[in-house]
Amino acid sequence: MANVIDGKAIAEKIKGEIAEEVARMVKEGMRAPHLAAILVGNDGASMTYVGHKEKACERVGLKSTVYRLERNTSQQQLLSLIREINDDDNIDGLIVQLPLPEGLDEQLVINTISADKDVDGFHPFNTGKMMLGLPSFLPATPYGIMTLLKESKIETRGKHCVIIGRSNIVGKPMANLLSAKGEGADCTVTLCHSRTPDLKHFTLDADIIIAALGHPKFLTADMVKPGAVIIDVGITRVEDKSKKSGFRLQGDVDYENVAPIASYITPVPGGVGPMTIVSLLKNTVAASKIRQARK
Ligand code: GUN
């Protein structure tokens, strides 16, 4: 039976460390780091995520401001708010919750966020720096997974890591980070996606599998080599009448059947999810230190 990686506990531990660091900053006369978030429309999942981010900020002593805009906000209105926040020296980080309602140009929105406030690490400048192995704001989910692997003392050097899913926010950056030189990386990476024929051929050879395609219970036991490390990024909402909300979160891994043959596995919920917020907090603290040191 696999070791279950307790992302919630690891995230709590790191949040405690961040809280101490923020308290130290304030004691030394700096202001508390300040994160701004823009939420457009009323998508249920996005509203929940932004709420979690607000709560996490409060928990570690970060200031947060959430701008809630109506669904029919125009591109121009959104861009001018971003520019206003870019120019505000009392704000260190800015995120725009994705996905945006139809009609808004996501890439243009991301490009408009000042790179030095882009604590989501989605701006092409930060994406490029990450690819070159230069210090940059790393995107939340890949950064969270790298931290989980490190905290769980999972050896990555020379291991074959198969990533399923080639999204800009998980699969592609994950492939970059794991194939980078250095401790906690040095993997041989295969990036698989919906057009990969015979996916099982790759997954059966994998020492580490990262499932990030958004297809509930996609990774089944027959696709997994015994002893593999399994990281589940899926968070699909599936109907569950036994829950108060009417749904539960379902991962991309058939957990019940994969866990008995894996060496390590992340649960859903409570695995990768809580770590993504930790990444955002870490990036915001880093952005704030850089900004406040400039004065
Ligand atoms: N939507 C899904 N993941 C993310 C994320 O990491 N940041 C933002 N802003 N939106 C998201």
Side-chain angles (χ1 to χ4, degrees):
M1 195 67 181
N3 294 293
V4 178
I5 299 177
D6 188 345
K8 204 170 160 194
I10 295 171
E12 276 310 312
K13 185 193 96 169
I14 300 176
K15 275 194 244 172
E17 294 165 6
I18 297 171
E20 282 173 21
E21 192 171 351
V22 171
R24 211 163 32 238
M25 285 173 74
V26 172
K27 205 171 149 198
E28 285 168 7
M30 297 167 99
R31 58 170 174 73
H34 184 180
L35 173 70
I38 301 177
L39 172 65
V40 188
N42 43 20
D43 175 73
S46 290
M47 283 161 62
T48 305
Y49 297 147
V50 169
H52 286 162
K53 291 172 187 179
E54 259 185 304
K55 245 175 59 193
C57 282
E58 199 180 321
R59 153 88 171 78
V60 302
L62 259 59
K63 183 173 156 97
S64 71
T65 305
V66 179
Y67 298 82
R68 292 183 167 82
L69 306 184
E70 286 184 20
R71 207 192 169 289
N72 60 3
T73 298
S74 73
Q75 181 86 23
Q76 276 321 308
Q77 285 169 316
L78 179 54
L79 295 186
S80 47
L81 175 59
I82 293 172
R83 291 193 186 103
E84 209 176 286
I85 296 171
N86 284 345
D87 291 340
D88 187 338
D89 200 37
N90 288 310
I91 296 177
D92 304 297
L94 166 60
I95 61 168
V96 177
Q97 188 64 33
L98 305 177
L100 288 169
E102 229 172 287
L104 295 172
D105 180 345
E106 232 160 63
Q107 193 60 52
L108 180 58
V109 164
I110 289 168
N111 294 354
T112 305
I113 297 172
S114 175
D116 62 358
K117 295 195 179 186
D118 168 42
V119 287
D120 258 333
F122 290 168
H123 191 285
F125 183 74
N126 287 316
T127 309
K129 288 216 288 189
M130 176 194 62
M131 207 213 84
L132 295 170
L134 299 171
S136 64
F137 298 122
L138 299 180
T141 304
Y143 189 11
I145 293 171
M146 296 304 279
T147 310
L148 266 190
L149 293 171
K150 189 172 158 211
E151 291 282 331
S152 309
K153 300 189 168 54
I154 290 166
E155 181 60 76
T156 54
R157 176 162 297 154
K159 302 294 181 192
H160 182 202
C161 178
V162 169
I163 299 164
I164 314 171
R166 56 178 156 180
S167 72
N168 288 338
I169 64 174
V170 185
K172 279 196 268 182
M174 203 69 243
N176 249 292
L177 294 174
L178 282 168
S179 59
K181 258 190 191 162
E183 208 172 317
D186 282 335
C187 279
T188 302
V189 172
T190 304
L191 181 54
C192 298
H193 47 75
S194 53
R195 299 299 168 108
T196 303
D198 195 11
L199 184 67
K200 195 170 157 179
H201 163 80
F202 297 100
T203 57
L204 271 177
D205 186 60
D207 305 304
I208 302 171
I209 300 177
I210 299 183
L213 68 159
H215 186 306
K217 295 192 182 188
F218 179 85
L219 189 77
T220 47
D222 61 305
M223 300 168 79
V224 174
K225 179 169 77 174
V229 174
I230 308 296
I231 307 292
D232 190 349
V233 186
I235 39 160
T236 307
R237 287 180 168 202
V238 299
E239 194 180 271
D240 186 341
K241 294 218 167 73
S242 73
K243 301 275 178 192
K244 207 166 66 184
S245 59
F247 69 85
R248 68 186 152 82
L249 293 179
Q250 178 65 59
D252 288 348
V253 176
D254 178 11
Y255 187 92
E256 199 186 331
N257 296 307
V258 171
I261 62 166
S263 60
Y264 287 86
I265 191 164
T266 62
V268 176
V272 173
M275 293 301 295
T276 63
I277 292 194
V278 165
S279 306
L280 179 65
L281 299 174
K282 286 206 272 193
N283 283 342
T284 306
V285 171
S288 184
K289 282 184 173 172
I290 296 167
R291 175 165 302 278
Q292 296 193 67
R294 284 208 297 237
K295 286 187 189 143

